Amino acid sequence: MKKHLKSFALVVILLVGYACSSDSNEYEPVPDPDTESPTPDPDPEPVTEPEVVLELDAIPASTQRIGNAAQGYEFLTSGNYMSSGVPYDAFIQGFGEDHTNVLERTGDNANIGYEYTAIDAANGVRIVSPNCMSCHASFINNEFMVGLGSQVADFTINRADNIGLVSTGISLLYGGQDSDEWEAYDQFRKGIEAIGPKTVTETRGVNPADKITRVLAAHRDKNTLEWTDTPYVNVSNEVIPTDVPAWWLLKKKNAMFYHAIGRRDFCKSFIGSSLLTLDDKTKAEEIDPKMPDVLAYIYSIEAPEYPFETDTDLAAQGKPVFEENCVKCHGSYGETEEYPNLLVSLTSIGTDPALSNLYTTPSTVNDYFLDWFNTGWFGTGTTGLEFKAEGGYIAPPLDGVWATAPYFHNSSVATIAEVLNSSERPKYWSRSFNSTDYDKENLGWNYTVETSKVDKETYDTTIKGYGNQGHTFGDDLTSAQRLALLEYLKTL
């Protein structure tokens, strides 16, 4: 029983992310009025290369519902926003107790890992379900941080492979499928069977959150949120990966997710995490008033300070390099902070387009997905969520950027040094997934260059959606400028 119970460990929650986009075509040089004059000046200005014009569009702000941060933290870590799960006794038999208790919780929750929560199902059965910390908490340099996106989770396996054996074990343990325990477990089983084969990633450390959302929406009525075993639309097995962004950035954002499709009410978006286990919209309506508290807590999280020594003089040299090359998209920092909330077109940013194209390429699935959120329960009412797909990616805020490796929307670049120098990015690379294996010189993870894909811990940038191209804006910097800029980024 213990062996089989381990097979259904679900370390998956739909994340809050960030993104951007715009309708854009080609670079346009800035016209030089001097070169258009029929008669040159006696002492003409030196000829310079035309300026590259970034194709940008500002994301408008929306009014958000803000509640109590302390209550939001309690609900996130111990609340009942999930409705179905593994009976508590079976979970403890399968995994044993975990007393690390990094969240300092009480009761049953003090005995299980931070990524799970013990709650009472509607029928009174004590169950264990995954919580938001599964994807939105992690360790760096052995320090646990709520709000730091998990970059160690392993989604390279099909979580439904052994769900039949798990179900058999639970049925035997509690006397069959007529038991209250089975009733409390059954929707969790259905959710895992649906998402398991369709959310398998090519490498450890990336997240299939977008795909999880699509699969679960395909199995639910958009208005009642009731589950159907036969999906309304067929979703392919292809998985386009995402990075898990830091929660402390959301306070500056006007749109959620890397492709910026999440607009208007952020609180409604959080309820997407409950689609795995809820019975119908009754549960969604029950937890909706709690979500302003969750947003207040997320807004309260501050970026972590760089924990190692910095060279103050070198950082001062890097500040003007940043202001000259990075402020336009990533914003300014210090006494006067301003974040522009800009969408950057695929033409301008040049990074892997697959994630953005998921939502802008005409298809039956896309039409269903956007309609599901915009015209169903999630999109209606005075506090509706809007999914607006415009293409492209966002230039995120850089608060605490030192802690958020790997980089880009798909985690394809291990260090900031390589973000600033595209020629140094390897095609294949592996890392240890040890939180202390941090590269203080290049700001990111230490890694090994590979000549091919060795195993699931090798990042293969040749796979669709895993590319590390684009963002070549630092390529023209000198080595000295990059070194100074890296030092300045430690201070953000």
Side-chain angles (χ1 to χ4, degrees):
M1 180 65 182
K2 181 175 181 179
K3 175 182 177 182
H4 298 324
L5 283 172
K6 288 185 178 179
S7 66
F8 60 74
L10 175 70
V11 190
V12 48
I13 271 297
L14 310 180
L15 63 137
V16 177
Y18 317 101
C20 95
S21 75
S22 76
D23 297 325
S24 51
N25 299 307
E26 302 292 335
Y27 293 116
E28 296 180 4
V30 177
D32 184 351
D34 292 333
T35 61
E36 296 174 358
S37 173
T39 305
D41 294 333
D43 298 309
E45 295 292 327
V47 177
T48 59
E49 292 296 322
E51 178 186 352
V52 173
V53 177
L54 290 173
E55 297 168 2
L56 310 169
D57 191 16
I59 304 170
S62 300
T63 301
Q64 299 298 331
R65 296 181 286 157
I66 306 296
N68 181 284
Q71 293 177 12
Y73 174 80
E74 181 66 20
F75 190 68
L76 269 174
T77 57
S78 301
N80 63 341
Y81 45 91
M82 304 301 273
S83 309
S84 176
V86 179
Y88 182 83
D89 292 339
F91 185 91
I92 295 299
Q93 287 185 38
F95 291 96
E97 293 188 348
D98 181 344
H99 298 291
T100 53
N101 200 15
V102 293
L103 292 174
E104 299 182 349
R105 297 185 293 185
T106 59
D108 291 338
N109 284 308
N111 303 321
I112 59 179
Y114 68 85
E115 65 268 50
Y116 300 103
T117 299
I119 58 173
D120 291 331
N123 64 0
V125 172
R126 194 67 167 167
I127 58 174
V128 175
S129 288
N131 62 34
C132 289
M133 304 304 105
S134 300
C135 294
H136 294 282
S138 192
F139 290 85
I140 187 166
N141 298 311
N142 284 334
E143 181 180 353
F144 181 73
M145 295 184 187
V146 175
L148 175 63
S150 173
Q151 306 296 352
V152 299
D154 186 355
F155 291 95
T156 63
I157 59 175
N158 179 350
R159 284 169 167 72
D161 276 346
N162 295 312
I163 195 68
L165 293 174
V166 175
S167 297
T168 298
I170 289 177
S171 179
L172 291 172
L173 186 62
Y174 296 104
Q177 297 184 9
D178 292 328
S179 67
D180 290 341
E181 286 80 6
W182 178 270
E183 180 185 19
Y185 160 74
D186 196 31
Q187 182 54 54
F188 178 81
R189 174 190 65 84
K190 292 177 181 179
I192 296 300
E193 287 180 345
I195 68 174
K198 294 184 178 294
T199 57
V200 179
T201 62
E202 296 288 342
T203 187
R204 181 184 175 189
V206 294
N207 195 289
D210 276 84
K211 190 61 178 299
I212 293 170
T213 306
R214 285 174 167 245
V215 174
L216 295 177
H219 281 270
R220 292 191 179 276
D221 180 271
K222 68 177 183 180
N223 296 311
T224 67
L225 303 184
E226 292 178 349
W227 181 271
T228 175
D229 291 336
T230 303
Y232 293 102
V233 65
N234 291 321
V235 180
S236 74
N237 287 347
E238 181 181 66
V239 177
I240 304 301
T242 64
D243 174 66
V244 183
W247 265 350
W248 58 76
L249 301 179
L250 186 58
K251 65 173 68 71
K252 291 187 174 183
K253 305 288 295 184
N254 291 343
M256 302 176 70
F257 313 118
Y258 280 105
H259 29 53
I261 65 172
R263 312 290 178 90
R264 294 176 61 199
D265 186 28
F266 293 174
C267 294
K268 276 281 182 69
S269 179
F270 298 159
I271 300 173
S273 64
S274 302
L275 289 175
L276 179 70
T277 64
L278 56 75
D279 291 326
D280 54 35
K281 70 175 184 179
T282 303
K283 183 65 175 182
E285 291 171 346
E286 172 192 322
I287 64 177
D288 180 68
K290 303 284 189 180
M291 293 305 163
D293 295 336
V294 172
L295 184 59
Y297 170 68
I298 291 174
Y299 278 178
S300 75
I301 301 174
E302 296 296 333
E305 294 185 2
Y306 186 69
F308 308 110
E309 292 184 3
T310 57
D311 184 327
T312 304
D313 292 337
L314 187 59
Q317 296 174 36
K319 183 176 181 180
V321 179
F322 181 86
E323 292 172 344
E324 177 67 23
N325 296 278
C326 312
V327 163
K328 184 173 184 179
C329 292
H330 291 287
S332 57
Y333 302 81
E335 294 182 2
T336 303
E337 295 201 0
E338 183 177 354
Y339 174 65
N341 267 289
L342 296 177
L343 302 172
V344 184
S345 72
L346 293 176
T347 303
S348 296
I349 192 64
T351 48
D352 192 299
L355 183 66
S356 174
N357 289 344
L358 275 178
Y359 297 90
T360 56
T361 303
S363 70
T364 301
V365 175
N366 276 349
D367 291 344
Y368 172 88
F369 185 76
L370 294 174
D371 174 75
W372 195 94
F373 273 99
N374 289 335
T375 68
W377 183 88
F378 277 86
T380 55
T382 57
T383 56
L385 173 68
E386 179 186 21
F387 270 21
K388 186 174 183 179
E390 296 179 281
Y393 300 111
I394 204 166
L398 299 180
D399 308 78
V401 67
W402 69 270
T404 61
Y407 298 98
F408 288 2
H409 66 274
N410 57 6
S411 297
S412 60
V413 180
T415 71
I416 299 179
E418 290 161 356
V419 170
L420 299 176
N421 188 353
S422 64
S423 66
E424 296 297 318
R425 301 171 194 166
K427 184 181 294 186
Y428 307 96
W429 55 277
S430 301
R431 60 188 176 101
S432 69
F433 292 92
N434 184 323
S435 79
T436 64
D437 199 14
Y438 187 80
D439 185 343
K440 293 182 284 187
E441 179 180 350
N442 295 303
L443 292 189
W445 297 115
N446 288 312
Y447 66 88
T448 301
V449 176
E450 309 286 2
T451 57
S452 63
K453 186 172 177 60
V454 177
D455 54 30
K456 67 179 182 180
E457 297 187 354
T458 304
Y459 199 106
D460 180 355
T461 66
T462 69
I463 301 172
K464 179 182 178 181
Y466 291 75
N468 63 0
Q469 71 270 25
H471 195 286
T472 58
F473 309 118
D475 287 1
D476 292 334
L477 298 177
T478 66
S479 296
Q481 286 175 316
R482 290 194 197 101
L483 189 64
L485 180 54
L486 283 170
E487 201 68 19
Y488 173 71
L489 291 173
K490 297 176 183 178
T491 69
L492 300 185

